[in-house]
Every structure is written in structure tokens, then in C-alpha cells.
Amino acid sequence: MNNRRIPKYIVLKNELLSWFESGRLQAGKQVPSEHEIADQFGVSRQTVRQTFGELEKEGWLERIQGKGTFARNPDRRESEQVKTIGIITTYISDYIFPHIVRGAEAELRSKGYRLLLSSTDNNKEKEMESLQLMTSQPLSGLIIEPTKSAEGNPNLTYFLSLQEKGIPFLMINEKYRELECPCLKLDDELGGYKATRHLIENGHQAIAGFFKRDDLQGVNRLKGFLRAHREAGVPVSPERVVTYTTEQKGSLPYDQAIQLLKQPEEQRPTGFVCYNDELAVSLAEAAGQCGLQIPQDVSMVGFDDSTLAVASGVKLTTMTHPKTEMGIMAARQLISMIEFHTVIEDTVFQPELVERESVKKR
């Protein structure tokens, strides 16, 4: 017990777990009292209490009032241990993702589930690593946001393995088309359509659209952008449709916006439809770089109604995203699949326009 870098209760916990492995502690056998353990290992009663609490939560021990603490039956421990649900998203700590994760986590904890988190940075290899991590340990279920969903699913074997093991999973924001699993997503095509139609209804004819092409959200938002133009009889100039990949998002849209906005006034776009609010904020900076103002010179519509939409000087007109609600509902549906084998259908949220200051009538 002299390893100072590891908390004492962890060292004690590992020692007691070795008792199970060696057979020193067997199912139904009473564990020495807190006082006896404290004396034997030279630790405080509080350390022993913390260790017992951890082992009890994990199903190794059970306390019987008036009798003491006992080793649990392995079969009972297997069936009653704290259940774990994994969540794999493209990102965790920024943009709208903390809201999704917090919503799911609150719901899971309230139902006695532990949460295991991993992110892929929208990289297929990292998705593989996340799936390896999740499937290498006992898992009750999985919530997954596909990585670059428009570029196929090279990690199909891991998802088939989940199905083979009978581990329920569902997807959020989009899903790999070849998999039969529930999905909670936004009607992205409708969102792109509504955003574009709002600009057209405000007199804009020269509208540029900026969309990510390696995920299906971007593909579908572009589809809605084009449909709004088609229905209104407004032609779409090829140079005003800008698509980009995850790796290009930091520079290509910005550079293309600069080129479009440096054109003579009669040729430059009067409105931008942006893949998301994060991009809209970047393109607003591009407009400023060209000496233009939002919305006096360029109107702009974002997507996701994130905190970024109201963080800058001009409050952004944008489309809603359910965020927290999506996380809560995903957790509830997955728990229902795990505990009751419920068959869940896809959930499609309807985006709504949030009008603020970034669109001007022409």
C-alpha cells in the first residue's frame, strides 16, 4: 500500500478484487469489517468505505443490514451490474455536440446507466478505433453519429458484429444507408429549402450556398437549396454553389466567399445559405474583410440555432436543431430497445426558421 501516485481506495480495490480471483472471497462469504480491513492495510475507515461503495456499485459486494458485507453471486453480479451505453459522435466538446451529449447523459444516469464517450473528429480511422474501444468491453447499447456519412461505411464489420452479438444501437443526425437501425435526424432537405426560400421571399435572386459534401446532412441541405430555387423559377449559378469536405472547411468556403464578394456589385451574391452557424460566422468575417456589412450588403442564413448564432454583433437568422431533445430521445429509445426489445422507427425532426437580424429585404 505504498504507491503514492495511485489513490489509496483504488489500490485497496485492486487488492480486494484479487481476493475474488484467487477464491479467497467466494459468493455468499462475509467480507471482513471496515475496521478489520482498515487495520490490515493501514488505511482510514473512509478509504475502506469508499472502496466498498465502488465494489458494491459494480456488483462485487452487497451490504445486508444488521449482518455485514458479503461477496455476491457471480451470476447475480453479471445480470445486475451497472449497464454501460456508449456514445460515439464526430465531435464532443464544441458546437452543438455538448448539448446532445448532456441530454443523453442526464437521461441515462437517471435510469441507472453508465456513459462511455468517444469522438471520431469526423475521421473514418478514428471511428474504427472508437468502435474497437466500445466493442472490447461489456456494452448494453450504442448511440452513434456516422462519420462522413456520404462517403460510405468502411467499418461495416463492427456494426455487423454488434448485430450478431445482439447489442442494440441507433444513429443520430444521419445513418449509414445499408444498415437497418433506428435514426434520429433532422429533415435537412427541408431545412435547406426553408432557409433558401426565406431569402428568395425577401427579394434575393443571387444567392450563394455553402455545403459540406462528405456528410449526408450537407448533401440534403444542398438538395433543399436547389429545390427552393427550382420551385421559385430562380436560376442557380454554378459558381455560387460551393461544396467542401471536412478537411477543407477551415479555408475553402472562406476563400470562395472572398472571391464571390469581390466581384462587381451587380454580379456578387446578395445572400448566403450556410451549412451551419459555425460557417456563417466565418463567412460574415469574410464579408467584413471585403468591406461589406451583414445584412446591409449580404444577407445570411445559418443552420442549427447554436450559441454562435447570437454570440456575434449581428444576430444570425438560422434553422433550428433539436440538440438536447435529440440526446434525451436517443437515450430513451435505446433503453427501450435494451430493456423491452422495442422496435423503434426513425424519428425525423422538422426544422423551423428563427428570424433575427442577418437577413434584409431587397
Side-chain angles (χ1 to χ4, degrees):
M1 301 291 292
N2 59 1
N3 192 331
R4 296 179 181 177
R5 289 178 294 179
I6 302 175
K8 289 183 178 180
Y9 83 91
I10 295 291
V11 178
L12 178 58
K13 177 181 171 183
N14 290 335
E15 181 65 29
L16 294 181
L17 285 173
S18 73
W19 288 10
F20 285 96
E21 293 171 7
S22 66
R24 182 174 174 182
L25 268 182
Q26 297 178 354
K29 184 175 180 179
Q30 186 168 6
V31 180
S33 68
E34 289 181 1
H35 179 74
E36 290 170 326
I37 294 287
D39 282 350
Q40 181 175 347
F41 291 99
V43 296
S44 68
R45 291 280 295 275
Q46 176 57 35
T47 297
V48 180
R49 201 167 292 121
Q50 187 176 4
T51 304
F52 278 14
E54 288 282 318
L55 292 171
E56 189 177 3
K57 275 196 297 185
E58 293 176 12
W60 294 96
L61 302 178
E62 62 180 332
R63 303 188 198 205
I64 301 176
Q65 194 167 0
K67 292 186 178 180
T69 301
F70 293 80
R72 298 190 74 176
N73 183 298
D75 295 333
R76 288 180 62 197
R77 194 169 65 240
E78 180 68 25
S79 63
E80 297 175 21
Q81 65 182 345
V82 176
K83 295 178 180 178
T84 301
I85 285 178
I87 296 183
I88 299 175
T89 57
T90 49
Y91 305 98
I92 288 177
S93 59
D94 59 1
Y95 198 50
I96 63 173
F97 297 99
H99 300 277
I100 297 173
V101 170
R102 280 199 296 268
E105 182 178 27
E107 186 66 21
L108 293 173
R109 287 190 183 279
S110 73
K111 299 298 189 295
Y113 285 80
R114 185 168 67 96
L115 176 61
L116 190 62
L117 274 176
S118 185
S119 67
T120 69
D121 294 326
N122 218 30
N123 178 287
K124 293 287 191 183
E125 288 188 9
K126 288 186 179 179
E127 182 187 62
M128 180 183 68
E129 292 169 4
S130 294
L131 287 164
Q132 286 176 334
L133 168 69
M134 295 291 181
T135 54
S136 68
Q137 53 198 296
L139 197 65
S140 301
L142 194 57
I143 296 170
I144 309 150
E145 182 193 24
T147 290
K148 293 186 178 179
S149 53
E151 293 189 351
N153 182 10
N155 298 318
L156 177 62
T157 53
Y158 292 96
F159 296 103
L160 294 179
S161 177
L162 288 170
Q163 291 178 338
E164 186 180 40
K165 293 174 182 177
I167 298 174
F169 63 91
L170 55 76
M171 296 193 172
I172 57 172
N173 287 327
E174 258 301 342
K175 72 176 176 181
Y176 293 122
R177 296 298 172 86
E178 68 272 28
L179 291 171
E180 290 297 325
C181 69
C183 178
L184 295 91
K185 58 170 287 184
L186 205 58
D187 188 334
D188 288 296
E189 181 182 342
L190 179 61
Y193 173 84
K194 284 184 173 182
T196 310
R197 189 180 65 181
H198 180 65
L199 287 174
I200 292 172
E201 289 175 346
N202 276 278
H204 295 269
Q205 299 281 301
I207 304 170
F210 298 79
F211 302 98
K212 227 163 150 285
R213 66 171 180 266
D214 54 8
D215 66 45
L216 289 169
Q217 296 98 301
V219 171
N220 288 323
R221 290 172 193 181
L222 170 57
K223 191 175 178 181
F225 173 86
L226 297 174
R227 178 161 68 92
H229 278 86
R230 186 171 62 251
E231 289 186 6
V234 177
V236 179
S237 171
E239 68 173 4
R240 293 185 188 138
V241 177
V242 179
T243 64
Y244 60 96
T245 65
T246 298
E247 292 74 22
Q248 296 170 329
K249 70 176 186 177
S251 58
L252 189 147
Y254 185 94
D255 293 342
Q256 291 293 310
I258 293 283
Q259 287 188 32
L260 288 169
L261 295 173
K262 281 188 172 178
Q263 293 178 320
E265 184 175 354
E266 64 275 7
Q267 296 178 19
R268 73 178 183 231
T270 63
F272 282 179
V273 175
C274 304
Y275 168 74
N276 62 14
D277 296 341
E278 186 176 40
L279 180 64
V281 170
S282 171
L283 299 191
E285 292 176 2
Q289 191 72 21
C290 295
L292 303 175
Q293 292 182 305
I294 310 295
Q296 291 88 335
D297 301 304
V298 186
S299 291
M300 194 166 294
V301 183
F303 215 109
D304 294 331
D305 195 21
S306 69
T307 53
L308 293 176
V310 292
S312 57
V314 177
K315 310 307 177 193
L316 188 64
T317 293
T318 185
M319 303 303 302
T320 58
H321 185 292
K323 297 183 281 291
T324 304
E325 183 187 357
M326 178 180 282
I328 292 170
M329 190 175 291
R332 285 179 181 168
Q333 289 185 359
L334 186 58
I335 290 170
S336 184
M337 292 167 68
I338 293 166
E339 297 183 357
F340 306 108
H341 306 290
T342 307
V343 177
I344 303 292
E345 300 293 329
D346 287 355
T347 302
V348 181
F349 297 92
Q350 302 299 302
E352 300 296 336
L353 185 78
V354 181
E355 294 189 55
R356 294 197 178 98
E357 304 166 358
S358 63
V359 173
K360 179 184 178 184
K361 196 172 185 68
R362 288 185 61 81

